[in-house]
């Protein structure tokens, strides 16, 4: 949330000076927050996490993914369908979210902004992936 608030402050400051802000880079998550506002999910609650972990433990011990995902599907089939098999961490988080009290949406309208997105997509993506890998390895040395 801090990054998004600061980014919006910088965008608004540039616009107030009749400049065109250009946001470059970032992950899809950061760009989504910038364009759509913070997600509606509640903050994580350690007590709720502990209760859910305890509830999921027997399913994990017996490797019963279908039984575990049924807990979420009983409340929200759409969310359950989107979780990759055996992604226990995401399942636990989604159970926490659906069991949390409803809250007012934090996603704000950005209708007052003229947002345009451009993406670079190289013809040879494999070459790009290898180049990124080499840069990461070089940074670790």
């Amino acid at each position: 949330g801090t990054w998004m608030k600061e980014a919006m402050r910088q965008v608004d400051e540039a616009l107030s000076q009749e400049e065109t802000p250009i946001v470059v880079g970032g992950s899809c998550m950061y760009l989504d927050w910038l364009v759509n506002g913070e997600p509606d999910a509640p903050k994580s609650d350690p007590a709720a996490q502990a209760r859910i972990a305890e509830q999921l433990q027997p399913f994990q011990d017996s490797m019963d993914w279908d039984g575990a995902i049924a807990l979420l599907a009983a409340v929200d089939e759409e969310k359950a369908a989107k979780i990759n098999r055996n992604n226990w961490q995401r399942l636990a988080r989604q159970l926490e979210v659906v069991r949390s009290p409803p809250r007012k949406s934090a996603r704000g309208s950005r209708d007052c902004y003229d947002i345009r997105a451009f993406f670079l997509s190289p013809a040879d993506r494999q070459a790009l992936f290898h180049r990124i890998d080499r840069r990461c390895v070089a940074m670790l040395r």
Side-chain angles (χ1 to χ4, degrees), residues 76-93:
D76 191 325
E77 286 185 20
E78 188 176 321
K79 278 187 169 70
K82 291 180 181 178
I83 298 179
N84 291 330
R85 186 169 191 79
N86 294 324
N87 189 339
W88 295 94
Q89 183 175 355
R90 181 133 185 256
L91 172 59
R93 176 63 180 145

Side-chain angles (χ1 to χ4, degrees), residues 47-103:
Q49 285 178 335
R51 286 190 303 273
I52 291 166
E54 185 177 335
Q55 183 182 20
L56 288 178
Q57 194 61 55
F59 293 101
Q60 286 180 289
D61 290 344
S62 63
M63 296 188 300
D64 181 11
W65 174 256
D66 293 330
I69 198 73
L71 297 172
L72 179 59
V75 182
D76 191 325
E77 286 185 20
E78 188 176 321
K79 278 187 169 70
K82 291 180 181 178
I83 298 179
N84 291 330
R85 186 169 191 79
N86 294 324
N87 189 339
W88 295 94
Q89 183 175 355
R90 181 133 185 256
L91 172 59
R93 176 63 180 145
Q94 287 304 317
L95 283 168
E96 182 182 359
V97 168
V98 299
R99 292 175 179 174
S100 296
R103 58 179 242 172

Side-chain angles (χ1 to χ4, degrees), residues 1-15 20-39 106-119:
T2 304
W3 178 90
M4 192 261 319
K5 289 178 184 112
E6 178 60 20
M8 288 307 301
R9 190 183 73 70
Q10 294 289 331
V11 165
D12 289 337
E13 184 177 319
L15 291 172
T20 301
I22 298 174
V23 179
V24 179
S27 70
C28 291
M29 178 189 75
Y30 284 121
L31 294 175
D32 179 55
W33 285 29
L34 187 63
V35 172
N36 298 309
E38 290 184 63
R107 293 240 161 182
S109 171
R110 301 284 197 251
D111 292 344
C112 61
Y113 296 94
D114 180 10
I115 298 173
R116 300 173 194 203
F118 300 90
F119 301 91

